[in-house]
Structure formats: C-alpha cells, structure tokens
Amino acid sequence: MKKVLLSLVACWLVLDVIAQTKITLNSDLAKTQINKHIYGHFAEHLGRCIYGGIYVGEGNTKIPNTAGVRNDVIQALKDLKIPNLRWPGGCFADTYQWKDGIGPKDKRPKMVNVWWGGVTEDNSFGTHDFLDLCERIGAEPYLAGNVGSGTVKDLVDWVSYVNHPGGSPMAELRKQNGREKPWNVQLWGVGNEAWGCGGNMTAEYYANIYRQYATFMADWNNTGKLYRIASGASDGDYQWTETLMKNIPHNMLSGVALHHYSVISWTDKGPSVNFNEQEYFKIMDEAWKMEEFVTRHSTIMDKYDPEKKVALIVDEWGGWYSVEPGTNPGFLYQQNTMRDAMIAGLTLNIFNNHADRVRGANLAQIVNVLQSVILTNEEKMLLTPTYHVMKMYNVHQDALLVPISIESPSYEFQGKKLTAVSASASKNAAGAMTISLTNIDYSKPHEITINLRGDEFSKVSGQILASAKINDFNSFEQPNKITVKEFAGAKLDKGVLKLTIPAYSVITLTLKK
C-alpha cells in the first residue's frame, strides 16, 4: 500500500510539473496571407548600428566589406531573408537632411546627433549607401521622411531623387552622383512618433500635416501608388488611431504605425543579462500586451475601414533594457539572451495570427542597438538568439495563415498569470505546414497535443532553440553557445501531433504529406 501511495504522489508531481497544452489547427481553412513585411527590421543612426555595425568605411582593410558595408553582415541579413529595412530612424529621421548624405563623401556637411549621444555625424552613410545595401540583401527599403523639422519640398525632392526616371532636377542630380536608374522606393513613413520626438503634435494637427505631405508625394514611374505610412500611436493611445482613421482619407493612407517596447520601467529598465524572475515576468507581461494593442487598434480601424485596406504597421517593437555597463548611455547597446528569444517568438506569433490587419513590422534594431539580431566588435560578429528565432520563423513569409485555437495553462508568478504557450501556423504553396511554438514559462516544460484538421500529414521534422539558463547569451568568446538544433521529439499519429516543449524555448515543426 505504501508503494502504491508513493507511486500516486509521483504521478501527481509529474502532472504538476508537465503542464498540458491543447491546440487545434484547421489547415483547410487557410485563406489569409501572412505578409512577408511582418518580418522587417529597423536601422537608425544610433550608437553603433550604422557606423561600426553595418558600415565600416570604404577604406577599411581590416574588416572585409563591399563599398564600406561589412560582408559578414550582408551575408547574415541575406540568410535571414529580410523583406524590408527601415531607415534612417526613429527620432533621428526628423532631424535628418537627406541632401547632406549624397555626393562626394569628403564634401558632405557634418551634423550633431542630438537624440543619440550627441556624437558628430559625418553623413558618410547616406541614401545611396542605404539603398544599395537593400539591393544587396534583397530587402525593400522603407524610408522614414522628416516631417518634424523638414518641409514638404524636402520630402518631395527625396521621393523624386530616388524614384524619378529622368528629366527632373532631382533625377539628374542622382545621375550626377553615380546612379542612372531609380531605386523605385515604395515604402515611405510620413514622419515618426509625431506625438513625441517627431514634433510633439496633437493627433488632429498631425492628421492635417499628413494630408499635406501625402498630397504632394507622387510616383512618377507608375509602378503603383506609393505605400504611405502615417506616424501612429504609442502603446494603448487608441484616440490617436481613431483620429487618424477618421480624419485622413483612406485613398491617401496605406498604413498606420504602432510602437510598443517591452520595458520594465522607463526610469529603471533593468539589466539585459543578470535579471531575476520578477524582471523576466514583467518583460513577458509587456510582450503579451502586444496582443491587446494590436486587437484594440485593429478594432478601431475596422470601424472606419471594414474592408481592411489600411494596414497596421508595427514598425518599432522589441525589448528595451539598461545599456551594458561601461557603454555610452545614448548608444542603447544591450546583450541578447533567451529572454529576447521569448519576446521574438511570442510577438511573431501575435503578428502572424493578426495577419488580416498587421501587414508590416520592424524589429528594433538590426545591429548593436536594443534587441539586435547581430552584434559586432571590430572584426568580430555574432548572431543573437533573436536572429535565430527570426530565421526559424521566416518560413511563414507570404504563406497562408492556418486558423488556430489554443488552450494553454498559465505561467504564474506572485499571484499573477500569463499564457505560457503561444503558437501560429501557416501552409505554403506546396501544401507543407509549419507550426511555431514558444513557451515563456520560466521553469516548466509543457506537453502539447495538436489536433490536425483539414489535411493528412505523414512526416514531421523540427528545430528548437533552447539553452540551459534563461540568462544565457552568445558572446564574442562563445558566439555559438545558443544555436538552432534539430528537434526529433514530435510524434505524429493519426492526425494527432504530440511533443514536450522545454521551459523558455522556441520550436518550429514542419509537416508534409
């Protein structure tokens, strides 16, 4: 009898440790396309993102480069299949004078980067450098226009410089600077954070300003109307979205932006590496708020745009912590741990599942700033856990969203609860289905049962990103401490898929017929 009781206790303990998650997928109902631009990135003139990160100078013989851009960064970004790259900001965009960044580099005027560190910007990386980089990595450029301190003519001239085929003063200036054919840039941000560093405007005032700027932006190549994106809300400022959707004619509005960062507190952001569970839980809570923000902003947009012609573009998102000790506070350089992988997996699942309205997003930022996918130190370069998650998930780009229902136990801490497991799925043109799973639980693995409906599959393969500790990260001494590995723990039997996902890990599964 004693042995029986001990066995029962052991079973109860196992059930308590291995939480149960149930998922149902209906692959035959896949209709909505997951826009590839959800997987966009962001490069601002901030800290070591551009200089030392992307651009090391054309005369640099120590670090292999192409026209001054690091070859290792080019290759890493090509492998990541970046669909678009946003530039030059951010707050920097509304102080940037694009004409200062063209022509002979030794004749370009300097400026002071008043937003980020007060450093002198020599404008050696400008429009040609950025647009040529986008061509090399296969990404569409997303240019953020200066509305805060610029003029309508400044932005109109920029559009003409990069898009007009020839005959206009700006097109001829482009040709004099060595570029015969236009780049045909379609993605344009009409200002940035107009409610803050972009001008401290009211929503009503900005809506009128937007209408003015958008009126004069033209597409001379007739390759399609410019994709104009309005400076949208921060977090839960639903009135901002309401005002823009109400006051801007939708025929001149392609997208409305949204910014949300996962941050503990704007006064005390906490460490990027040596965080505790309380700090971890708070960041996960902030990451999960993206679901609420996307849902409620989308509901407002549905009121004015039931056909969903205007996209929600989350063009700044990611984790924000205190800078690494000993670094310039204005450079926003932080390490990237498994916690950041959790933010990435969870957020991308949210975006995928809202693909009917969310049709673009930009992780902040691409190199050496905030939640970077790449870190550099002189000739050294490493790929962060966030990079690996973005690469694992890029199979969803332009695939069809598979409707999903999920019942997940909570991750609990000090009486508060968060959904532990998030998931999204898609089906590609060949009929293969990919399921992405993220378990943010700080200590518990989760047993997952997935009921597959609508299609029959016979093969399953997988990848996993996991590590021994939530605080683990890739360093320049150990650049491959955290890497993607094969996952063979998923079992498929008669339309039911079973697996166990470890605590704080990300898994992608591919099913084929």
Side-chain angles (χ1 to χ4, degrees), residues 194-328:
W195 40 263
C197 64
N200 281 307
M201 305 176 192
T202 64
E204 291 79 8
Y205 182 82
Y206 172 72
N208 287 332
I209 289 291
Y210 176 93
R211 291 165 64 131
Q212 179 187 13
Y213 274 76
T215 297
F216 293 97
M217 297 172 70
D219 186 356
W220 294 275
N221 274 344
N222 297 315
T223 55
K225 186 174 69 174
L226 295 183
Y227 200 93
R228 294 167 293 190
I229 300 168
S231 173
S234 172
D235 302 325
D237 186 354
Y238 304 112
Q239 185 59 40
W240 187 278
T241 299
E242 178 102 26
T243 301
L244 267 52
M245 292 299 296
K246 180 180 180 180
N247 294 329
I248 299 176
H250 295 171
N251 64 354
M252 58 168 51
L253 181 64
S254 305
V256 175
L258 171 65
H259 291 180
H260 172 60
Y261 287 97
S262 298
V263 60
I264 293 173
S265 165
W266 289 110
T267 56
D268 183 7
K269 301 180 186 69
S272 65
V273 175
N274 297 316
F275 52 88
N276 55 35
E277 185 172 3
Q278 181 177 359
E279 292 164 326
Y280 173 76
F281 188 92
K282 173 60 177 175
I283 289 293
M284 291 302 103
D285 186 25
E286 289 296 319
W288 257 121
K289 285 181 181 178
M290 185 67 81
E291 172 70 31
E292 174 189 345
F293 295 149
V294 166
T295 299
R296 294 187 62 182
H297 284 289
S298 295
T299 299
I300 293 169
M301 297 175 75
D302 289 345
K303 175 182 174 182
Y304 297 95
D305 175 34
E307 296 181 354
K308 301 182 186 294
K309 293 182 179 180
V310 181
L312 182 60
I313 309 292
V314 190
D315 57 14
E316 288 189 30
W317 67 272
W320 194 322
Y321 320 118
S322 298
V323 302
E324 294 305 296
T327 64
N328 188 322

Side-chain angles (χ1 to χ4, degrees), residues 108-120:
R108 295 180 187 179
K110 295 179 172 60
M111 65 174 288
V112 175
N113 191 335
V114 296
W115 288 111
W116 307 117
V119 297
T120 298

Side-chain angles (χ1 to χ4, degrees), residues 424-464:
S424 62
S426 67
K427 186 166 63 172
N428 66 19
M433 185 165 67
T434 298
I435 307 168
S436 294
L437 303 158
T438 298
N439 177 17
I440 67 170
D441 203 308
Y442 190 82
S443 58
K444 291 182 180 179
H446 282 246
E447 186 177 276
I448 298 177
T449 301
I450 304 175
N451 292 301
L452 305 172
R453 297 177 181 175
D455 280 305
E456 293 184 2
F457 299 96
S458 61
K459 300 178 183 177
V460 58
S461 59
Q463 294 181 313
I464 185 170

